[in-house]
Amino acid sequence: MSTGQSFNAVNLPPIVPFTDTLPSELSVTLVTRNTCGIDSLTKTITINPTDVRALFNTSNQQLCIGDTLRLTNFSTPGAPIRWTMGDGNTYTSNQVNHVFREDGTFEVVLYAEGCGFDSLAMPIEVFPLPELTLEFTPAVCAGEDAEFQVITAAPGSTLFFGDGDSTKFKISRHSYDNAGNYSLLAIAESIYGCKNTTNANIEIVARPTAIMEATDSICIGATATFASASTGAESCQWFFGDGEKDDACNAVHTYNSTGIFPITLIAISDLGCTDTIQQLLFVRPTPKADFTFDIIEACTPAAVQFLDRSENATGVTWFFGDGNNSSTINPAHTYAGAGTFEVTLIATNDNVCEGSITKTVTTFATPTIETELKDNCTVAEGVNLSIFSTPGSFVTLTGKNYVKEGTFHEGLAAGDYNIHVMTPQGCEARKDIIVLKPQELLVSLAQDSFFIDLGDSIHLDLQLNQVDLDIQWSPDYALSDATSANPMAKPFYTTTYFVTVVNELGCVKIDTAYVEVQIRRDIFLPNTFTPDGSGFNDIFRVRSNNPAVVAVKMFEIYDRWGKLLFRKENFPPNELEYGWDGTSPGGESVQPGVYTYYAQIQYIDGVEQLWEGKVLLVR
């Protein structure tokens, strides 16, 4: 080439750049050789200056590893471009965002191509990130200091503790109030402003909560029980205040001297976190219980006076053995019932230490008096009295002209009486009673004689002066209810009824009722009828107002030659629809004349009677 450059066949570049600003001609000679000789060919090429310019802008020429370099192409519009980043990466877009992963100085070149090409290079300096390590205790109890060390050569660093607090010291302490997992963030910044971060988690372990279950007062010589209800604790330590201690969470201890002792419980978690609680224990002296009593009244309601004789006691409780109690120092108590009662006095020292003693008190029952009065059937027989009282008692009944011992008194006259009862123990009771005249049973019939026709009924009305009576009528024939005070009677023949009345005392009264039954068999059939349609006497029928007639079993009409003209069966009397209207079986009116009838009548007492006669038909 006329530029002085030469290439062999194996290294011939695809593009040979020329950067002259004026047109020029280039002579290119190709020389080839082989074993047979040499040959050459020369051509002239006219080179025009390029028509493009490379131009770009960068966000920064100094940055840190991991920062983003932003490049913007401002080359000749429309010209194809190509970026080389100096770290092996290339781009062809107008906007480039690139991150360098290593430190150093990198030459960024933009190539713009057209008729020829142009390029622009810019050095980019990439600074390394500072090295950073965070050391700390991975688990710490809440409320205790956690130690942190930020290890870095960077001049500046910040540690965020994850609870809203932070520090710029590389070695620091920090305490957390609440248990939980907290996210730590450490940031180191180099002299070039490059920042490196590291994250970690620290566990803040909940402290146990010491909860003591122990009495605040105990008696000397008694065994005190101490229980830990602590939460989050794996072990415990008790300090009893008298130089003794115990490592069990539930402990017992006996104090051999009185006084006030500080009790301390330390609750310890599995990670060694602790919580402490303290309580005072008062060890008291034990009182000695004793009492005396005086029986004021031995019979119920029995009165007893009790006197406290206890020592070293600040309070007492009495249990009287009958379900009642008292906290009065010297109480008086009344026993409603009789018996032997175990009375217990419990003497206490501020309701903590106690001593007790039991003695027996015996009371006797005041006799009870219950009575039962039972009337006899008549005033002359009087009233029987039964007295019920305490077994073994002496019972006396006193009245006007009457004094007698015993619990049963028969045939007492009406009047006022007094009952006196005394038990073998000397307990007495009295009761006044009034004995009334017996109420005799009175039975009478409002009417005791009746006269009725067969088929009629009457009410038997019994007048009584008592209730809850047993009533029986005899015979029970034709009665609506043989046990009623007012039964209905409908006899078919003359009957005498006897009524027997018995009250609750077994007293009996009898009365009678006489019912005379008059038996009538009469019926009425007219001797003439006129079936002329006038509405008067048009129908020949069986008529009767006799209550004994219950049915017409058969009703027949015959002419004088014995021919049957009409027949009806089983019907009540007086009904027009069952009468003869003066027609033949074919419905034709018969001739005036005399006709024969037969009527079979059934009565209430079961009797049947055949009636026959003549009737004159007139038209």
Side-chain angles (χ1 to χ4, degrees), residues 420-432:
H420 176 252
V421 178
M422 177 180 289
T423 67
Q425 294 80 23
C427 296
E428 296 180 280
R430 292 182 178 274
K431 182 176 182 180
D432 293 325

Side-chain angles (χ1 to χ4, degrees), residues 336-377:
T340 298
F341 301 92
E342 291 189 346
V343 179
T344 299
L345 170 64
I346 299 177
T348 62
N349 188 327
D350 291 337
N351 292 322
V352 176
C353 302
E354 66 179 40
S356 65
I357 187 172
T358 300
K359 298 181 181 182
T360 59
V361 173
T362 300
T363 64
F364 303 103
T366 295
T368 58
I369 301 176
E370 299 292 335
T371 59
E372 181 182 84
L373 291 170
K374 183 176 181 181
D375 289 349
N376 289 310
C377 292

Side-chain angles (χ1 to χ4, degrees), residues 494-524:
T494 298
T495 304
T496 298
Y497 290 100
F498 295 86
V499 60
T500 302
V501 181
V502 183
N503 64 11
E504 293 179 337
L505 299 177
C507 302
V508 179
K509 289 295 179 71
I510 299 174
D511 205 350
T512 59
Y514 174 76
V515 182
E516 182 176 315
V517 180
Q518 299 178 6
I519 299 175
R520 294 190 300 113
R521 306 291 184 186
D522 56 304
I523 62 170
F524 172 73

Side-chain angles (χ1 to χ4, degrees), residues 42 54 68 154 190 211 240 299 313 320 408 416 434 450 455 471 537:
T42 300
T68 299
S190 69
I211 301 174
F240 301 118
C299 299
F320 300 114
F408 180 72
D416 297 333
I434 298 176
F450 301 89
I471 301 171
N537 200 24

Side-chain angles (χ1 to χ4, degrees), residues 213-237:
E213 292 183 350
T215 181
D216 60 357
S217 184
I218 196 171
C219 306
I220 184 171
T223 299
T225 299
F226 301 93
S228 170
S230 306
T231 58
E234 289 292 324
S235 60
C236 306
Q237 283 187 331

Side-chain angles (χ1 to χ4, degrees), residues 84-354:
T84 60
M85 306 306 296
D87 62 353
N89 290 291
T90 62
Y91 302 96
T92 59
S93 59
N94 288 321
Q95 298 286 339
V96 173
N97 293 326
H98 184 67
V99 177
F100 290 95
R101 302 301 178 185
E102 297 178 356
D103 62 298
T105 300
F106 300 89
E107 185 177 62
V108 176
V109 181
L110 172 65
Y111 293 95
E113 298 175 350
C115 182
F117 77 95
D118 191 21
S119 65
L120 178 63
M122 184 179 294
I124 301 298
E125 187 174 5
V126 180
F127 300 109
L129 298 180
E131 294 184 357
L132 175 62
T133 302
L134 176 61
E135 293 184 354
F136 61 95
T137 305
V140 180
C141 301
E144 296 183 0
D145 284 341
E147 296 184 354
F148 300 91
Q149 184 174 6
V150 179
I151 302 175
T152 181
S157 64
T158 303
L159 174 60
F160 296 91
F161 297 113
D163 61 352
D165 203 356
S166 63
T167 183
K168 293 187 176 296
F169 292 104
K170 293 182 179 179
I171 298 176
S172 61
R173 292 174 177 269
H174 184 69
S175 64
Y176 293 85
D177 294 331
N178 300 314
N181 288 314
Y182 293 85
S183 298
L184 302 174
L185 172 62
I187 303 175
E189 185 174 355
S190 69
I191 58 175
Y192 303 109
C194 297
K195 295 181 179 180
N196 193 7
T197 63
T198 184
N199 297 87
N201 287 323
I202 185 171
E203 180 183 5
I204 304 303
V205 181
R207 298 173 68 89
T209 300
I211 301 174
M212 179 188 302
E213 292 183 350
T215 181
D216 60 357
S217 184
I218 196 171
C219 306
I220 184 171
T223 299
T225 299
F226 301 93
S228 170
S230 306
T231 58
E234 289 292 324
S235 60
C236 306
Q237 283 187 331
W238 290 94
F239 296 90
F240 301 118
D242 61 352
E244 299 294 329
K245 66 178 182 177
D246 198 323
D247 292 334
C249 284
N250 296 317
V252 294
H253 186 63
T254 301
Y255 290 87
N256 296 316
S257 61
T258 61
I260 298 176
F261 299 87
I263 309 302
T264 303
L265 168 64
I266 301 176
I268 307 170
S269 72
D270 55 351
L271 296 177
C273 299
T274 64
D275 189 27
T276 302
I277 188 173
Q278 191 175 77
Q279 177 179 303
L280 295 179
L281 174 66
F282 181 24
V283 180
R284 303 171 181 272
T286 299
K288 179 181 179 181
D290 192 16
F291 70 92
T292 61
F293 62 90
D294 183 20
I295 299 178
I296 308 301
E297 174 57 62
C299 299
T300 59
V304 182
Q305 178 67 54
F306 295 92
L307 298 175
D308 173 39
R309 304 298 187 191
S310 302
E311 299 176 1
N312 296 325
T314 60
V316 295
T317 301
W318 298 84
F319 295 91
F320 300 114
D322 61 352
N324 294 295
N325 58 74
S326 174
S327 58
T328 304
I329 295 177
N330 298 311
H333 183 65
T334 300
Y335 287 90
T340 298
F341 301 92
E342 291 189 346
V343 179
T344 299
L345 170 64
I346 299 177
T348 62
N349 188 327
D350 291 337
N351 292 322
V352 176
C353 302
E354 66 179 40

